[in-house]
Amino acid sequence: MATGKNIVIFGATGRTGLATLAQALEEGYTVTVLVRDRARLPAQHQPARVVLGDARDPAAVSEAVRGQDAVIILLGTRNDLSPTTVMSEGTKNIVTAMKTHGVRKVVACLSAFLLWDLQKVPPRLVPVTEDHIRMHRILQDSGLDCVYVMPPHIADDQPLTGDYTVTVGASGGSRVISTHDLGHFLLRCLHTSCYDGKSVYVSRDYSKD
């Protein structure tokens, strides 16, 4: 588990990234982010350190990882569903940087589709899922202390509850998790080793709220 409060978030300007960043700052973490555009960071949630660059740039990634106690990976392609290697290339650079700087703990957000038979994944989502599979393999082969978080549909319009179902090694419960609850779980994983090396599905039925 992470023993300190210095963390780097890759993908901090995405939907889940912004929710995770806000909670990390509120919890007293010293947060570094790697972003292409500093203007995408909200004024009310400014990290301690901003490294400008792209996850596909090994030098920028190495600079962001230097001095950290743990890493959170939230790389994505936003609404671009075309074939890509952006996430796996970035993950490879992150793993290399972690080994260089002696950082062992990484919590990575992948996709619940990795818990499915690939043949059952909707065709339009297969290319992105294939890169998530490549990410997963890179992390599995890394020898690092990695948590593979595999959420279902991530909802912007649901609240932070801190009360959700955690299923290891399979999908279960509902098929939705809020960005805020997902961020909450990602940070929770930094405090425990019980999910290291495991694929974890997090969900909640918000209709009961």
Side-chain angles (χ1 to χ4, degrees):
M1 71 186 72
T3 56
K5 299 284 272 188
N6 297 314
I7 65 172
V8 57
I9 301 175
F10 291 95
T13 58
R15 296 180 305 149
T16 303
L18 290 171
T20 306
L21 171 63
Q23 290 182 62
L25 294 173
E26 289 169 8
E27 291 184 23
Y29 285 93
T30 300
V31 182
T32 295
V33 300
L34 174 69
V35 295
R36 290 187 294 272
D37 182 3
R38 184 189 295 264
R40 293 185 62 88
L41 294 167
Q44 70 272 31
H45 297 133
Q46 287 294 310
R49 185 162 161 256
V50 177
V51 177
L52 293 177
D54 187 287
R56 290 169 293 181
D57 178 355
V61 170
S62 181
E63 177 61 22
V65 170
R66 178 178 57 83
Q68 306 303 330
D69 298 307
V71 173
I72 294 178
I73 302 177
L74 290 165
L75 297 176
T77 59
R78 300 193 187 276
N79 295 320
D80 185 354
L81 300 179
S82 59
T84 182
T85 57
V86 168
M87 297 177 293
S88 56
E89 285 180 40
T91 299
K92 183 178 180 181
N93 289 333
I94 293 166
V95 165
T96 298
M98 290 180 67
K99 291 182 176 180
T100 297
H101 296 293
V103 183
R104 289 208 50 82
K105 181 76 175 198
V106 54
V107 182
C109 188
L110 298 161
S111 166
F113 288 136
L114 271 66
L115 297 167
W116 294 21
D117 179 341
L118 188 60
Q119 301 299 318
K120 297 180 180 179
V121 175
R124 68 188 184 91
L125 300 177
V126 166
V128 171
T129 301
E130 288 175 337
D131 205 37
H132 276 137
I133 291 171
R134 287 188 285 270
M135 280 182 70
H136 189 225
R137 287 174 180 159
I138 290 166
L139 291 165
Q140 282 184 311
D141 292 342
S142 71
L144 298 171
D145 301 328
C146 183
V147 184
Y148 312 103
V149 182
M150 300 182 177
H153 173 70
I154 302 170
D156 288 326
D157 58 350
Q158 299 296 340
L160 169 65
T161 69
D163 179 19
Y164 38 77
T165 300
V166 178
T167 308
V168 176
S171 57
S174 77
R175 291 195 174 184
V176 65
I177 189 74
S178 75
T179 54
H180 306 289
D181 278 340
L182 179 53
H184 183 274
F185 181 70
L186 296 171
L187 294 170
R188 175 178 157 191
C189 288
L190 301 180
H191 301 288
T192 178
S193 59
C194 71
Y195 299 117
D196 288 2
K198 296 177 180 176
S199 300
V200 188
Y201 181 92
V202 286
S203 62
R204 177 182 170 85
D205 184 356
Y206 295 92
S207 66
K208 295 179 180 178
D209 296 341

